[in-house]
Structures are given as structure tokens and as C-alpha cells.
Amino acid sequence: MTKSVIYACSHRRGGNSDRTATLLAQGVAEAGGEANVLYIRNHSVMACLACDYCAKAKFKQGMARCVLGQQDDAYELFEPMLTARTVFFTSPIYFYHLPSLFKTWIDRSQQFWAAKQLGEPWVADLPKRTAHVVLHAGRPAGDKLFEGAQVTLKYFLNNFNFTLAEPLIFRGIDEQNDMEAHPDFEQQIIELGRTAWASAQ
Ligand SMILES: Cc1cc2nc3c(=O)[nH]c(=O)nc-3n(C[C@H](O)[C@H](O)[C@H](O)COP(=O)(O)O)c2cc1C
């Protein structure tokens, strides 16, 4: 487990989540680590068919665990979740939740949920690790703005034995370059990259 991975989950190229991904990578590099940035929008991911194949295909691993495994990039995106020392997600809030492309990919992790439920060691015995999330929302207020995203992420990450650290959240970030107008926010993100890498086992 030598690397970290940063999943940039916005549909908008060059926006706030992308900027955050760059800053997290900078922080990881400053702490002596290595980070790959993966842009979810650049990958083709089909919706889970809810066919229950993964629950019945006991001990099948990798692409073979899902009927769609050979047909799209979902598994390629999951692979680093099995091997990375730590992972980061940077995402906007869309309608009080995660963007649909990101959620579509999350639903495909049902194959790992099924394997873990069955106690299959290749998933159940993954090392316990910590995941980090940075969320951006356009609205300046709203008590429940980040609630749905956080609950979903917590249980998604649990499939891979990741615990979700307290998310870094930014409100009132709406226009494409809004993060860049807040050097204080940017410093917090770089610092997160540094400390997350330094504290990862
Ligand atoms: C489809 C869509 C839905 C959105 N829904 C919300 C919302 O429910 N609450 C909110 O505060 N901002 C909402 N926003 C604004 C984004 O969260 C905001 O513009 C964010 O900075 C975008 O991040 P990005 O630059 O990484 O794409 C929405 C934006 C889009 C495109």
C-alpha cells in the first residue's frame, strides 16, 4: 500500500472539486507521498442492474464478480480502493446529495458489500484505513446540505474497511473558480493532504 488516490467527482471540468484534487495532491507530495487523481466523469460506469448476481457468485473476484464487470470502467475505478494507503474524494453537492455519476459508481460497489457480508477474506480482511472527503456546495446555508452525502459515503467506504474522517466542507462555493478566491480554504486542503498522508499506516 504505497500510494494514495484522489477521486475527483464533479461533472464540471476545471471547477472547485478539480482544484481541490490538485491541492490535495500537492499536500500529499509535500508530505513525501504519491497521489493519483482519477476523474470519475472520464470513465464509463453503467448503473447496477440489481440482478443479485454478486450475492450468488461466492468467491468470484475482480471483474468476474459483477455481470457488468467486463463492460465498463467501474472495476478499474474500484481497484485502488483495494490497494491504496489512503483515499480522498472531492465532490460538489447536487440536490443535497452526491452527483449522479459518482452515486452510480457507488451503487456498483454492491459487489463488495455482498462479498464482505459473506465473509470473503479478499474484502473482509482488507486493512483498516481512513478516507478523507472534501465537499463543496453553492448555498451559503442549510443544516442538512451535506448530510445525505456523508451517510452514503460512510457506508460505501465501509465496504472497503475505510473509516470516513470528519469531512472538510465548504459552503457558498458556486462559480467555477470560487475556491481560488479563498486562499484560507486552499491552505486547509493542502494541510489535509499533508496530514492524511503522514498519518496513513
Ligand atoms: C445539478 C446541480 C445541482 C446542485 N445542487 C446544489 C444543492 O442542492 N445545494 C447547493 O448548495 N449547491 C448545489 N449546486 C451547486 C454546486 O454544489 C456548486 O456549484 C459547486 O461549487 C460545484 O462544484 P464543482 O465546481 O466542483 O463542480 C448544484 C449544482 C448543480 C450543477
Side-chain angles (χ1 to χ4, degrees):
M1 302 223 161
T2 53
K3 281 190 187 163
S4 65
V5 177
I6 301 166
Y7 292 91
C9 304
S10 178
H11 298 191
R12 174 159 70 178
R13 181 179 297 122
N16 300 303
S17 305
D18 284 11
R19 174 74 182 151
T20 292
T22 302
L23 296 170
L24 285 170
Q26 182 185 325
V28 169
E30 285 176 11
E34 219 183 307
N36 286 348
V37 181
L38 293 174
Y39 299 90
I40 294 222
R41 63 176 175 270
N42 291 344
H43 296 263
S44 135
V45 177
M46 296 162 75
C48 171
L49 298 177
C51 65
D52 221 22
Y53 175 86
C54 60
K56 294 173 190 139
K58 202 168 177 189
F59 294 120
K60 285 203 170 160
Q61 293 185 27
M63 286 183 187
R65 189 59 179 240
C66 174
V67 287
L68 300 175
Q70 305 280 353
Q71 296 183 45
D72 68 4
D73 303 336
Y75 192 80
E76 190 185 318
L77 287 170
F78 284 129
E79 258 179 335
M81 300 287 290
L82 305 174
T83 57
R85 182 163 147 172
T86 187
V87 293
F88 302 84
F89 294 86
T90 145
S91 177
I93 293 295
Y94 285 178
F95 283 92
Y96 280 75
H97 218 289
L98 298 169
S100 54
L101 292 177
F102 186 15
K103 179 60 164 56
T104 298
W105 178 61
I106 287 175
D107 288 348
R108 290 287 297 286
S109 73
Q110 182 71 2
Q111 59 192 296
F112 299 96
W113 183 87
K116 196 174 178 190
Q117 286 290 110
L118 293 165
E120 295 178 36
W122 66 282
V123 180
D125 294 349
L126 283 169
K128 292 192 189 313
R129 295 157 292 163
T130 304
H132 304 271
V133 176
V134 183
L135 298 169
H136 318 79
R139 291 195 61 215
D143 283 351
K144 298 183 189 298
L145 207 45
F146 301 97
E147 247 178 40
Q150 287 186 55
V151 175
T152 297
L153 285 166
K154 177 181 171 182
Y155 290 105
F156 162 63
L157 290 163
N158 184 52
N159 290 329
F160 304 91
N161 285 347
F162 279 108
T163 301
L164 178 59
E166 187 60 31
L168 203 48
I169 56 174
F170 296 106
R171 299 169 187 271
I173 297 293
D174 207 12
E175 299 303 322
Q176 190 151 13
N177 297 320
D178 272 357
M179 284 305 279
E180 290 175 47
H182 293 274
D184 48 330
F185 292 175
E186 297 211 326
Q187 277 310 314
Q188 287 181 55
I189 294 162
I190 295 168
E191 186 57 22
L192 173 63
R194 269 195 220 116
T195 54
W197 177 263
S199 62
Q201 297 298 309

